Amino acid sequence: KNQVEQSPQSLIILEGKNCTLQCNYTVSPFSNLRWYKQDTGRGPVSLTIMTFSENTKSNGRYTATLDADTKQSSLHITASQLSDSASYICVVSATSSNTGKLIFGQGTTLQVKP
Amino acid sequence: SAVISQKPSRDICQRGTSLTIQCQVDSQVTMMFWYRQQPGQSLTLIATANQGSEATYESGFVIDKFPISRPNLTFSTLTVSNMSPEDSSIYLCSVAGTGISYNEQFFGPGTRLTVL
């Protein structure tokens, strides 16, 4: 069964600290893995997208890694800011075409406190 | 990237009524999708909106309950029919196939629906 599991479910950190969110998947075939940030009351916004051959990709203070062998990904947030408080969703696409067949993780809720 | 707007942004409706949600994109897109996000849950694909033809529904979703229209490459509507409290969710429009960002999928801001 195609699944995406994220950990931790929720996380509280102090402003300025770093954190790492985890994503394990059992999706096959695999096309790409995406990390989205979803602010409360908003739609998800793409942070990174990685294909099978990419090990790491950065977007500002966000760095995603992918290990296609172990089917694991992580999202590292550096020097967290209050605006990083959101839900972070790991999403895996099982096809190369855009059919909407995305498998969503449950998300990690991050709260950054001053 | 694509700029997506949805109307209404939120609504409170009575049981048994219907609500139509509009999705407008600022550029022509190949694919348009409708998702549901129930409280505390992740996103679930309802259907793919096909231009000029019937939408393609995922398992568990039917046209009578969620009729969808897509008259052109920039606009789609989703109707939630004969609503019950279980339909209380966020409904999101999503698009893909936009020029250089072909592998990307963009989401609208969502419509927060509460059914009493």
Side-chain angles (χ1 to χ4, degrees), chain A residues 1-111:
Chain A
K1 180 183 178 182
N2 287 333
Q3 280 188 315
V4 176
E5 295 182 351
Q6 293 186 241
S7 61
Q9 186 175 4
S10 62
L11 182 62
I12 301 174
I13 63 173
L14 293 176
E15 186 178 13
K17 298 296 185 182
N18 304 334
C19 68
T20 300
L21 314 181
Q22 301 291 341
C23 173
N24 297 332
Y25 62 93
T26 56
V27 178
S28 182
F30 172 87
S31 176
N32 57 70
L33 184 145
R34 313 149 187 234
W35 282 94
Y36 284 89
K37 177 186 179 188
Q38 185 175 22
D39 293 311
T40 301
R42 301 286 193 95
V45 174
S46 179
L47 295 175
T48 64
I49 178 170
M50 290 182 291
T51 59
F52 182 88
S53 60
E54 296 176 292
N55 300 121
T56 184
K57 184 165 281 189
S58 292
N59 179 358
R61 294 180 295 102
Y62 301 101
T63 299
T65 66
L66 174 64
D67 186 334
D69 292 331
T70 62
K71 298 187 177 180
Q72 296 179 327
S73 176
S74 66
L75 180 69
H76 186 75
I77 304 174
T78 304
S80 61
Q81 300 176 359
L82 298 179
S83 60
D84 292 331
S85 296
S87 178
Y88 292 84
I89 307 172
C90 177
V91 184
V92 178
S93 174
T95 60
S96 57
S97 61
N98 273 308
T99 62
K101 301 293 185 183
L102 304 179
I103 296 95
F104 290 80
Q106 291 296 100
T108 292
T109 301
L110 173 65
Q111 186 177 359

Side-chain angles (χ1 to χ4, degrees), chain B residues 25-31 70 72-74 96-99:
Chain B
V25 192
D26 69 340
S27 59
Q28 293 185 344
V29 295
T30 307
M31 311 290 289
R70 189 180 173 191
N72 55 50
L73 293 177
T74 63
T98 55

Side-chain angles (χ1 to χ4, degrees), chain B residues 14-17 65 80-88 115-116:
Chain B
Q14 295 297 320
R15 180 195 299 261
T17 62
K65 177 66 176 178
V80 185
S81 303
N82 188 24
M83 288 184 285
S84 66
E86 292 70 35
D87 294 320
S88 297
V115 184
L116 303 177

